[in-house]
Amino acid sequence: MRTLVLIACIFLLGCQTSTQQQVPATPFNQPPDWAQDAIWYQVFVERFSNGDSSNDPTAASIAIPPLQVQAPAGWHVTPWGQNWYQKDDYATDTTRDFNNWLQFRRYGGDLQGLINKLDYLQDLGINALYINPINDAPSLHKYDASYYHHVDVHFGPDPVGDRAIIAKENPNDPATWQWTTADKLFLQLIEQAHQRNIRVVLDYSWNHTGTLFWAWQDVLKNGANSAYKDWYNVSQFDDPATPANEMQYAGWLNISSLPELKKVDITTERKVGHPYEGNINKGAKEHIFAVTKRWLAPNGDTSKGVDGYRLDVADHVGLGFWREWRKVVRQTKGDAYLVGEVWWEQWPDPFMNPVPYTSGDVFDAVMFYHAYRPAKYFFSKSDFSIDAKQLADSLQFEWNRLQKANRYAMMNVSSTHDAPRLLTCFYNPGKYKFRALPKDDAQYKTGKPDAETYQRVRLYLLHLFTSVGGPQIWNGEEMGMWGGDDPDPRKPLWWKGMSFAPETRNNYQPGPKTYDSVGFNQQHFDWYKQLIALRNKHSMLRRGDIAFTETNNKLMVYKRFDGRQTIWVLLNAGITAATAQIPAGDYTNLLTGVKQKGGAVAVPPLQGVVLK
């Protein structure tokens, strides 16, 4: 079966066939060289930009019949500029809380919206896109795939026509797969991004599917007679002779909307937050391999495909699968980049050790929250405040357990779809991502941050863009957006020129309402743009060695160097002026262009200096 699938993939889906393509552009156990220069921009398509209102979701398209989830009466797409904390007019059932109602919201973001904004992203200066899942799925987040091998029909120009195309396929036979208009639009997006020297990395979860996934639908229909029953962990099938539904199965984290693909060949303890030896059911695995190749090399051309993958909940999948999958990826596209979500060992404190995933046989990098959390405690006004020496020690501990190539290929995330916005994270003094919503902590602040918070965030950003690893921007951060933990970071973006209703400062908490004006923050955008340009201009900030030379209370000084040149970074996270010591000489301040002398250098409070 596997041989047949691979043959079909080669001839019909376009796996690489030329000798030149089959030679890896990068050593198998190394990250691609381009990852060192990456400046990542993460896009959540549904909330990015609505470029085509004719393809907006419908009440029927967001329904999940197996779970008896239906859009409420009167449902409609939410206006882009509506106050985030305003209940939609169809949200009349008082038994649901605000966050529950948010799961029904759709704003109509689509691929055309992203294509329309590529010039904006090019102007910003980013060169790598990390796109959250766009596979066909009923949810707003798309981790509940109906089809792995198709783009969501409502992200393309012809949802009805695309459904008709999909209906003619055998989803388990790659020889029958077609390109929908949504698929083709995604390929256009890749092509236009590549024309702007922007790489594209696509998000997938191979751990689970949705309940509308074609194989799961067959299981629901045919029960124990389904050809796909072994793709999932079903402990009890429904008895059609009874009115009750006796179906029992394993969902990811016991979530019924996300049935897990069956894990097999497990030889070590399987525990969330820890790597384990295991694999995925053979049939499901072969399907995943075919989908992987489809997007890496559409119609046999790797230049037209994605440049890698981000892998959701990577610790829930066995290392045996990941090792096999890496081989498939690198045999298809030699310089593809793989980054795993390797996050909590045990929430809310210890993070996972990334080493088992970045030792040359699994991923090239992980989402490196490990570097952000201590930096948050150093640069923000925090109940968990640390000094410069503690931050330097924390960073060196994380870096030193990684091979150098992987260290420089890390995706240095600060905020994502799964974490509070950067400004709000800094505005609140509590533990990182702990009780970071008003439903969990009534004192958690979700309104516009104060001026000091903006200054502290901008100082942190100066560190992010002058440190080791690829800086990542969660879409909208450069616009000055704020918001608590999920679902708040998934607000529609505050595009310049758009009108937005004032946002309720005290969110959905009881009491008199006060409001913040919201919208595109030009000053914040300009700072991001300046820092991106700085990193793009000076390869030393991307590829140079790093050494800390002064870590005194809230003053941190480090240098980036390569044996020929040196750039000095002086950061003062304190509220009083500080003096840093660097070698005497003539320098240029790379942030201002002003010439100045070395030796004792004054650094104002909550500011930084970059000298060459």
Side-chain angles (χ1 to χ4, degrees), residues 190-219:
I190 296 171
E191 184 174 11
Q192 292 193 34
H194 285 172
Q195 290 171 358
R196 294 168 171 82
N197 295 316
I198 297 173
R199 307 268 183 170
V200 178
V201 165
L202 188 56
D203 195 350
Y204 265 102
S205 178
W206 304 132
N207 177 69
H208 49 261
T209 70
T211 57
L212 296 183
F213 192 74
W214 59 271
W216 183 252
Q217 285 289 295
D218 191 274
V219 173

PDB file of all heavy atoms in Angstrom, residues 190-219:
ATOM      1  N   ILE A 190       2.029  31.589  -2.360  1.00  0.00           N
ATOM      2  CA  ILE A 190       3.419  31.143  -2.222  1.00  0.00           C
ATOM      3  C   ILE A 190       4.280  31.786  -3.303  1.00  0.00           C
ATOM      4  O   ILE A 190       5.369  32.311  -3.029  1.00  0.00           O
ATOM      5  CB  ILE A 190       3.507  29.612  -2.312  1.00  0.00           C
ATOM      6  CG1 ILE A 190       2.776  28.956  -1.143  1.00  0.00           C
ATOM      7  CG2 ILE A 190       4.963  29.157  -2.349  1.00  0.00           C
ATOM      8  CD1 ILE A 190       2.629  27.449  -1.268  1.00  0.00           C
ATOM      9  N   GLU A 191       3.791  31.753  -4.542  1.00  0.00           N
ATOM     10  CA  GLU A 191       4.569  32.307  -5.652  1.00  0.00           C
ATOM     11  C   GLU A 191       4.828  33.795  -5.461  1.00  0.00           C
ATOM     12  O   GLU A 191       5.960  34.278  -5.650  1.00  0.00           O
ATOM     13  CB  GLU A 191       3.836  32.067  -6.973  1.00  0.00           C
ATOM     14  CG  GLU A 191       4.610  32.534  -8.193  1.00  0.00           C
ATOM     15  CD  GLU A 191       3.941  32.153  -9.505  1.00  0.00           C
ATOM     16  OE1 GLU A 191       2.778  31.705  -9.468  1.00  0.00           O
ATOM     17  OE2 GLU A 191       4.589  32.309 -10.552  1.00  0.00           O
ATOM     18  N   GLN A 192       3.799  34.540  -5.062  1.00  0.00           N
ATOM     19  CA  GLN A 192       3.975  35.975  -4.879  1.00  0.00           C
ATOM     20  C   GLN A 192       4.856  36.290  -3.672  1.00  0.00           C
ATOM     21  O   GLN A 192       5.601  37.268  -3.682  1.00  0.00           O
ATOM     22  CB  GLN A 192       2.615  36.650  -4.755  1.00  0.00           C
ATOM     23  CG  GLN A 192       1.812  36.609  -6.039  1.00  0.00           C
ATOM     24  CD  GLN A 192       0.608  37.538  -6.014  1.00  0.00           C
ATOM     25  OE1 GLN A 192       0.650  38.616  -5.410  1.00  0.00           O
ATOM     26  NE2 GLN A 192      -0.464  37.131  -6.674  1.00  0.00           N
ATOM     27  N   ALA A 193       4.783  35.456  -2.639  1.00  0.00           N
ATOM     28  CA  ALA A 193       5.680  35.639  -1.491  1.00  0.00           C
ATOM     29  C   ALA A 193       7.121  35.378  -1.917  1.00  0.00           C
ATOM     30  O   ALA A 193       8.036  36.150  -1.583  1.00  0.00           O
ATOM     31  CB  ALA A 193       5.272  34.711  -0.355  1.00  0.00           C
ATOM     32  N   HIS A 194       7.347  34.305  -2.662  1.00  0.00           N
ATOM     33  CA  HIS A 194       8.702  33.981  -3.121  1.00  0.00           C
ATOM     34  C   HIS A 194       9.269  35.081  -4.018  1.00  0.00           C
ATOM     35  O   HIS A 194      10.471  35.364  -3.971  1.00  0.00           O
ATOM     36  CB  HIS A 194       8.694  32.649  -3.859  1.00  0.00           C
ATOM     37  CG  HIS A 194       8.569  31.468  -2.956  1.00  0.00           C
ATOM     38  ND1 HIS A 194       8.389  30.176  -3.425  1.00  0.00           N
ATOM     39  CD2 HIS A 194       8.590  31.358  -1.596  1.00  0.00           C
ATOM     40  CE1 HIS A 194       8.314  29.341  -2.401  1.00  0.00           C
ATOM     41  NE2 HIS A 194       8.426  30.037  -1.286  1.00  0.00           N
ATOM     42  N   GLN A 195       8.421  35.697  -4.809  1.00  0.00           N
ATOM     43  CA  GLN A 195       8.876  36.811  -5.646  1.00  0.00           C
ATOM     44  C   GLN A 195       9.382  37.973  -4.802  1.00  0.00           C
ATOM     45  O   GLN A 195      10.201  38.770  -5.273  1.00  0.00           O
ATOM     46  CB  GLN A 195       7.746  37.278  -6.563  1.00  0.00           C
ATOM     47  CG  GLN A 195       7.392  36.294  -7.663  1.00  0.00           C
ATOM     48  CD  GLN A 195       6.132  36.682  -8.423  1.00  0.00           C
ATOM     49  OE1 GLN A 195       5.479  37.685  -8.098  1.00  0.00           O
ATOM     50  NE2 GLN A 195       5.771  35.892  -9.421  1.00  0.00           N
ATOM     51  N   ARG A 196       8.907  38.064  -3.571  1.00  0.00           N
ATOM     52  CA  ARG A 196       9.339  39.108  -2.642  1.00  0.00           C
ATOM     53  C   ARG A 196      10.411  38.591  -1.678  1.00  0.00           C
ATOM     54  O   ARG A 196      10.694  39.226  -0.668  1.00  0.00           O
ATOM     55  CB  ARG A 196       8.130  39.624  -1.850  1.00  0.00           C
ATOM     56  CG  ARG A 196       7.107  40.349  -2.703  1.00  0.00           C
ATOM     57  CD  ARG A 196       5.817  40.573  -1.927  1.00  0.00           C
ATOM     58  NE  ARG A 196       4.869  41.439  -2.616  1.00  0.00           N
ATOM     59  CZ  ARG A 196       4.026  41.052  -3.574  1.00  0.00           C
ATOM     60  NH1 ARG A 196       4.030  39.765  -3.968  1.00  0.00           N
ATOM     61  NH2 ARG A 196       3.212  41.901  -4.142  1.00  0.00           N
ATOM     62  N   ASN A 197      10.963  37.416  -1.973  1.00  0.00           N
ATOM     63  CA  ASN A 197      11.991  36.785  -1.120  1.00  0.00           C
ATOM     64  C   ASN A 197      11.471  36.504   0.287  1.00  0.00           C
ATOM     65  O   ASN A 197      12.194  36.644   1.277  1.00  0.00           O
ATOM     66  CB  ASN A 197      13.254  37.651  -1.055  1.00  0.00           C
ATOM     67  CG  ASN A 197      13.939  37.766  -2.407  1.00  0.00           C
ATOM     68  OD1 ASN A 197      14.080  36.771  -3.122  1.00  0.00           O
ATOM     69  ND2 ASN A 197      14.331  38.975  -2.779  1.00  0.00           N
ATOM     70  N   ILE A 198      10.201  36.106   0.354  1.00  0.00           N
ATOM     71  CA  ILE A 198       9.573  35.729   1.621  1.00  0.00           C
ATOM     72  C   ILE A 198       9.299  34.229   1.593  1.00  0.00           C
ATOM     73  O   ILE A 198       8.626  33.725   0.688  1.00  0.00           O
ATOM     74  CB  ILE A 198       8.257  36.499   1.840  1.00  0.00           C
ATOM     75  CG1 ILE A 198       8.520  38.003   1.947  1.00  0.00           C
ATOM     76  CG2 ILE A 198       7.536  35.997   3.081  1.00  0.00           C
ATOM     77  CD1 ILE A 198       7.258  38.856   2.008  1.00  0.00           C
ATOM     78  N   ARG A 199       9.843  33.497   2.557  1.00  0.00           N
ATOM     79  CA  ARG A 199       9.582  32.059   2.679  1.00  0.00           C
ATOM     80  C   ARG A 199       8.212  31.837   3.316  1.00  0.00           C
ATOM     81  O   ARG A 199       7.694  32.700   4.038  1.00  0.00           O
ATOM     82  CB  ARG A 199      10.653  31.410   3.555  1.00  0.00           C
ATOM     83  CG  ARG A 199      12.081  31.696   3.118  1.00  0.00           C
ATOM     84  CD  ARG A 199      12.605  30.658   2.196  1.00  0.00           C
ATOM     85  NE  ARG A 199      14.002  30.905   1.826  1.00  0.00           N
ATOM     86  CZ  ARG A 199      14.764  30.054   1.171  1.00  0.00           C
ATOM     87  NH1 ARG A 199      14.283  28.870   0.817  1.00  0.00           N
ATOM     88  NH2 ARG A 199      16.015  30.355   0.864  1.00  0.00           N
ATOM     89  N   VAL A 200       7.660  30.645   3.098  1.00  0.00           N
ATOM     90  CA  VAL A 200       6.335  30.312   3.627  1.00  0.00           C
ATOM     91  C   VAL A 200       6.404  28.976   4.353  1.00  0.00           C
ATOM     92  O   VAL A 200       6.794  27.956   3.769  1.00  0.00           O
ATOM     93  CB  VAL A 200       5.287  30.243   2.503  1.00  0.00           C
ATOM     94  CG1 VAL A 200       3.923  29.849   3.076  1.00  0.00           C
ATOM     95  CG2 VAL A 200       5.192  31.576   1.768  1.00  0.00           C
ATOM     96  N   VAL A 201       6.029  28.980   5.623  1.00  0.00           N
ATOM     97  CA  VAL A 201       5.979  27.768   6.444  1.00  0.00           C
ATOM     98  C   VAL A 201       4.543  27.579   6.913  1.00  0.00           C
ATOM     99  O   VAL A 201       3.900  28.530   7.392  1.00  0.00           O
ATOM    100  CB  VAL A 201       6.946  27.874   7.636  1.00  0.00           C
ATOM    101  CG1 VAL A 201       6.651  26.821   8.684  1.00  0.00           C
ATOM    102  CG2 VAL A 201       8.394  27.752   7.154  1.00  0.00           C
ATOM    103  N   LEU A 202       4.041  26.355   6.775  1.00  0.00           N
ATOM    104  CA  LEU A 202       2.627  26.071   7.025  1.00  0.00           C
ATOM    105  C   LEU A 202       2.451  25.216   8.278  1.00  0.00           C
ATOM    106  O   LEU A 202       3.228  24.297   8.525  1.00  0.00           O
ATOM    107  CB  LEU A 202       2.040  25.344   5.816  1.00  0.00           C
ATOM    108  CG  LEU A 202       0.529  25.112   5.762  1.00  0.00           C
ATOM    109  CD1 LEU A 202      -0.233  26.422   5.885  1.00  0.00           C
ATOM    110  CD2 LEU A 202       0.159  24.409   4.459  1.00  0.00           C
ATOM    111  N   ASP A 203       1.424  25.530   9.042  1.00  0.00           N
ATOM    112  CA  ASP A 203       1.136  24.889  10.328  1.00  0.00           C
ATOM    113  C   ASP A 203       0.256  23.653  10.120  1.00  0.00           C
ATOM    114  O   ASP A 203      -0.751  23.710   9.413  1.00  0.00           O
ATOM    115  CB  ASP A 203       0.399  25.913  11.208  1.00  0.00           C
ATOM    116  CG  ASP A 203       0.348  25.536  12.671  1.00  0.00           C
ATOM    117  OD1 ASP A 203       0.704  24.400  13.012  1.00  0.00           O
ATOM    118  OD2 ASP A 203      -0.045  26.403  13.470  1.00  0.00           O
ATOM    119  N   TYR A 204       0.656  22.543  10.747  1.00  0.00           N
ATOM    120  CA  TYR A 204      -0.171  21.329  10.713  1.00  0.00           C
ATOM    121  C   TYR A 204      -0.153  20.652  12.075  1.00  0.00           C
ATOM    122  O   TYR A 204       0.827  20.736  12.807  1.00  0.00           O
ATOM    123  CB  TYR A 204       0.343  20.331   9.676  1.00  0.00           C
ATOM    124  CG  TYR A 204      -0.356  20.431   8.339  1.00  0.00           C
ATOM    125  CD1 TYR A 204       0.255  21.071   7.271  1.00  0.00           C
ATOM    126  CD2 TYR A 204      -1.628  19.897   8.153  1.00  0.00           C
ATOM    127  CE1 TYR A 204      -0.383  21.170   6.037  1.00  0.00           C
ATOM    128  CE2 TYR A 204      -2.271  19.989   6.926  1.00  0.00           C
ATOM    129  CZ  TYR A 204      -1.641  20.632   5.879  1.00  0.00           C
ATOM    130  OH  TYR A 204      -2.290  20.731   4.671  1.00  0.00           O
ATOM    131  N   SER A 205      -1.241  19.959  12.367  1.00  0.00           N
ATOM    132  CA  SER A 205      -1.273  19.040  13.498  1.00  0.00           C
ATOM    133  C   SER A 205      -1.488  17.643  12.958  1.00  0.00           C
ATOM    134  O   SER A 205      -2.575  17.322  12.455  1.00  0.00           O
ATOM    135  CB  SER A 205      -2.393  19.389  14.485  1.00  0.00           C
ATOM    136  OG  SER A 205      -2.397  18.436  15.531  1.00  0.00           O
ATOM    137  N   TRP A 206      -0.450  16.817  13.036  1.00  0.00           N
ATOM    138  CA  TRP A 206      -0.587  15.421  12.630  1.00  0.00           C
ATOM    139  C   TRP A 206      -1.048  14.556  13.805  1.00  0.00           C
ATOM    140  O   TRP A 206      -1.158  13.345  13.665  1.00  0.00           O
ATOM    141  CB  TRP A 206       0.751  14.880  12.104  1.00  0.00           C
ATOM    142  CG  TRP A 206       1.384  15.632  10.977  1.00  0.00           C
ATOM    143  CD1 TRP A 206       2.693  16.024  10.904  1.00  0.00           C
ATOM    144  CD2 TRP A 206       0.789  16.059   9.748  1.00  0.00           C
ATOM    145  NE1 TRP A 206       2.936  16.680   9.711  1.00  0.00           N
ATOM    146  CE2 TRP A 206       1.780  16.701   8.982  1.00  0.00           C
ATOM    147  CE3 TRP A 206      -0.496  15.958   9.218  1.00  0.00           C
ATOM    148  CZ2 TRP A 206       1.542  17.244   7.726  1.00  0.00           C
ATOM    149  CZ3 TRP A 206      -0.747  16.515   7.963  1.00  0.00           C
ATOM    150  CH2 TRP A 206       0.257  17.137   7.230  1.00  0.00           C
ATOM    151  N   ASN A 207      -1.332  15.163  14.930  1.00  0.00           N
ATOM    152  CA  ASN A 207      -1.737  14.408  16.104  1.00  0.00           C
ATOM    153  C   ASN A 207      -3.217  14.037  16.080  1.00  0.00           C
ATOM    154  O   ASN A 207      -3.606  13.005  16.603  1.00  0.00           O
ATOM    155  CB  ASN A 207      -1.448  15.224  17.369  1.00  0.00           C
ATOM    156  CG  ASN A 207      -1.895  14.541  18.629  1.00  0.00           C
ATOM    157  OD1 ASN A 207      -1.325  13.540  19.031  1.00  0.00           O
ATOM    158  ND2 ASN A 207      -2.950  15.052  19.257  1.00  0.00           N
ATOM    159  N   HIS A 208      -4.038  14.886  15.486  1.00  0.00           N
ATOM    160  CA  HIS A 208      -5.481  14.666  15.545  1.00  0.00           C
ATOM    161  C   HIS A 208      -6.144  15.255  14.304  1.00  0.00           C
ATOM    162  O   HIS A 208      -5.530  16.012  13.547  1.00  0.00           O
ATOM    163  CB  HIS A 208      -6.087  15.278  16.815  1.00  0.00           C
ATOM    164  CG  HIS A 208      -5.659  16.705  17.043  1.00  0.00           C
ATOM    165  ND1 HIS A 208      -4.645  17.043  17.915  1.00  0.00           N
ATOM    166  CD2 HIS A 208      -6.086  17.869  16.515  1.00  0.00           C
ATOM    167  CE1 HIS A 208      -4.470  18.348  17.917  1.00  0.00           C
ATOM    168  NE2 HIS A 208      -5.343  18.882  17.074  1.00  0.00           N
ATOM    169  N   THR A 209      -7.385  14.922  14.112  1.00  0.00           N
ATOM    170  CA  THR A 209      -8.202  15.496  13.046  1.00  0.00           C
ATOM    171  C   THR A 209      -9.437  16.110  13.686  1.00  0.00           C
ATOM    172  O   THR A 209      -9.585  16.122  14.913  1.00  0.00           O
ATOM    173  CB  THR A 209      -8.636  14.419  12.033  1.00  0.00           C
ATOM    174  OG1 THR A 209      -9.598  13.546  12.658  1.00  0.00           O
ATOM    175  CG2 THR A 209      -7.449  13.606  11.544  1.00  0.00           C
ATOM    176  N   GLY A 210     -10.335  16.599  12.860  1.00  0.00           N
ATOM    177  CA  GLY A 210     -11.647  17.003  13.340  1.00  0.00           C
ATOM    178  C   GLY A 210     -12.655  15.880  13.160  1.00  0.00           C
ATOM    179  O   GLY A 210     -12.369  14.845  12.545  1.00  0.00           O
ATOM    180  N   THR A 211     -13.845  16.072  13.673  1.00  0.00           N
ATOM    181  CA  THR A 211     -14.885  15.044  13.537  1.00  0.00           C
ATOM    182  C   THR A 211     -15.499  15.036  12.139  1.00  0.00           C
ATOM    183  O   THR A 211     -16.251  14.115  11.809  1.00  0.00           O
ATOM    184  CB  THR A 211     -15.995  15.243  14.580  1.00  0.00           C
ATOM    185  OG1 THR A 211     -16.534  16.557  14.443  1.00  0.00           O
ATOM    186  CG2 THR A 211     -15.460  15.049  15.990  1.00  0.00           C
ATOM    187  N   LEU A 212     -15.206  16.052  11.331  1.00  0.00           N
ATOM    188  CA  LEU A 212     -15.652  16.051   9.943  1.00  0.00           C
ATOM    189  C   LEU A 212     -14.577  15.516   9.006  1.00  0.00           C
ATOM    190  O   LEU A 212     -14.786  15.484   7.784  1.00  0.00           O
ATOM    191  CB  LEU A 212     -16.059  17.468   9.503  1.00  0.00           C
ATOM    192  CG  LEU A 212     -17.264  18.074  10.224  1.00  0.00           C
ATOM    193  CD1 LEU A 212     -17.604  19.435   9.635  1.00  0.00           C
ATOM    194  CD2 LEU A 212     -18.476  17.146  10.145  1.00  0.00           C
ATOM    195  N   PHE A 213     -13.448  15.098   9.563  1.00  0.00           N
ATOM    196  CA  PHE A 213     -12.389  14.530   8.722  1.00  0.00           C
ATOM    197  C   PHE A 213     -12.936  13.323   7.984  1.00  0.00           C
ATOM    198  O   PHE A 213     -13.647  12.486   8.555  1.00  0.00           O
ATOM    199  CB  PHE A 213     -11.197  14.129   9.587  1.00  0.00           C
ATOM    200  CG  PHE A 213      -9.946  13.812   8.815  1.00  0.00           C
ATOM    201  CD1 PHE A 213      -9.203  14.822   8.240  1.00  0.00           C
ATOM    202  CD2 PHE A 213      -9.520  12.497   8.664  1.00  0.00           C
ATOM    203  CE1 PHE A 213      -8.035  14.545   7.537  1.00  0.00           C
ATOM    204  CE2 PHE A 213      -8.355  12.200   7.971  1.00  0.00           C
ATOM    205  CZ  PHE A 213      -7.618  13.224   7.386  1.00  0.00           C
ATOM    206  N   TRP A 214     -12.588  13.197   6.721  1.00  0.00           N
ATOM    207  CA  TRP A 214     -13.193  12.178   5.860  1.00  0.00           C
ATOM    208  C   TRP A 214     -13.056  10.763   6.417  1.00  0.00           C
ATOM    209  O   TRP A 214     -13.995   9.968   6.321  1.00  0.00           O
ATOM    210  CB  TRP A 214     -12.591  12.273   4.455  1.00  0.00           C
ATOM    211  CG  TRP A 214     -11.097  12.097   4.425  1.00  0.00           C
ATOM    212  CD1 TRP A 214     -10.148  13.076   4.559  1.00  0.00           C
ATOM    213  CD2 TRP A 214     -10.386  10.869   4.301  1.00  0.00           C
ATOM    214  NE1 TRP A 214      -8.886  12.534   4.522  1.00  0.00           N
ATOM    215  CE2 TRP A 214      -9.001  11.182   4.360  1.00  0.00           C
ATOM    216  CE3 TRP A 214     -10.763   9.535   4.137  1.00  0.00           C
ATOM    217  CZ2 TRP A 214      -8.013  10.205   4.267  1.00  0.00           C
ATOM    218  CZ3 TRP A 214      -9.782   8.559   4.038  1.00  0.00           C
ATOM    219  CH2 TRP A 214      -8.419   8.900   4.102  1.00  0.00           C
ATOM    220  N   ALA A 215     -11.895  10.438   7.015  1.00  0.00           N
ATOM    221  CA  ALA A 215     -11.710   9.082   7.557  1.00  0.00           C
ATOM    222  C   ALA A 215     -12.574   8.879   8.799  1.00  0.00           C
ATOM    223  O   ALA A 215     -13.155   7.799   8.994  1.00  0.00           O
ATOM    224  CB  ALA A 215     -10.240   8.844   7.877  1.00  0.00           C
ATOM    225  N   TRP A 216     -12.661   9.902   9.648  1.00  0.00           N
ATOM    226  CA  TRP A 216     -13.504   9.795  10.839  1.00  0.00           C
ATOM    227  C   TRP A 216     -14.977   9.683  10.454  1.00  0.00           C
ATOM    228  O   TRP A 216     -15.746   8.951  11.094  1.00  0.00           O
ATOM    229  CB  TRP A 216     -13.272  10.984  11.768  1.00  0.00           C
ATOM    230  CG  TRP A 216     -14.054  10.915  13.039  1.00  0.00           C
ATOM    231  CD1 TRP A 216     -15.123  11.668  13.394  1.00  0.00           C
ATOM    232  CD2 TRP A 216     -13.843  10.024  14.146  1.00  0.00           C
ATOM    233  NE1 TRP A 216     -15.601  11.319  14.641  1.00  0.00           N
ATOM    234  CE2 TRP A 216     -14.817  10.307  15.120  1.00  0.00           C
ATOM    235  CE3 TRP A 216     -12.917   9.011  14.394  1.00  0.00           C
ATOM    236  CZ2 TRP A 216     -14.889   9.610  16.324  1.00  0.00           C
ATOM    237  CZ3 TRP A 216     -12.998   8.327  15.606  1.00  0.00           C
ATOM    238  CH2 TRP A 216     -13.971   8.631  16.553  1.00  0.00           C
ATOM    239  N   GLN A 217     -15.381  10.392   9.415  1.00  0.00           N
ATOM    240  CA  GLN A 217     -16.755  10.286   8.937  1.00  0.00           C
ATOM    241  C   GLN A 217     -17.077   8.853   8.511  1.00  0.00           C
ATOM    242  O   GLN A 217     -18.175   8.349   8.742  1.00  0.00           O
ATOM    243  CB  GLN A 217     -16.974  11.247   7.769  1.00  0.00           C
ATOM    244  CG  GLN A 217     -17.098  12.693   8.184  1.00  0.00           C
ATOM    245  CD  GLN A 217     -18.410  12.971   8.899  1.00  0.00           C
ATOM    246  OE1 GLN A 217     -19.489  12.869   8.306  1.00  0.00           O
ATOM    247  NE2 GLN A 217     -18.333  13.316  10.171  1.00  0.00           N
ATOM    248  N   ASP A 218     -16.096   8.191   7.897  1.00  0.00           N
ATOM    249  CA  ASP A 218     -16.298   6.791   7.506  1.00  0.00           C
ATOM    250  C   ASP A 218     -16.432   5.907   8.737  1.00  0.00           C
ATOM    251  O   ASP A 218     -17.233   4.961   8.762  1.00  0.00           O
ATOM    252  CB  ASP A 218     -15.126   6.331   6.626  1.00  0.00           C
ATOM    253  CG  ASP A 218     -15.399   4.988   5.968  1.00  0.00           C
ATOM    254  OD1 ASP A 218     -15.123   3.950   6.598  1.00  0.00           O
ATOM    255  OD2 ASP A 218     -15.906   4.979   4.822  1.00  0.00           O
ATOM    256  N   VAL A 219     -15.655   6.190   9.777  1.00  0.00           N
ATOM    257  CA  VAL A 219     -15.755   5.434  11.025  1.00  0.00           C
ATOM    258  C   VAL A 219     -17.137   5.616  11.648  1.00  0.00           C
ATOM    259  O   VAL A 219     -17.760   4.655  12.116  1.00  0.00           O
ATOM    260  CB  VAL A 219     -14.642   5.859  12.004  1.00  0.00           C
ATOM    261  CG1 VAL A 219     -14.847   5.207  13.368  1.00  0.00           C
ATOM    262  CG2 VAL A 219     -13.267   5.505  11.453  1.00  0.00           C
TER     263      VAL A 219
END
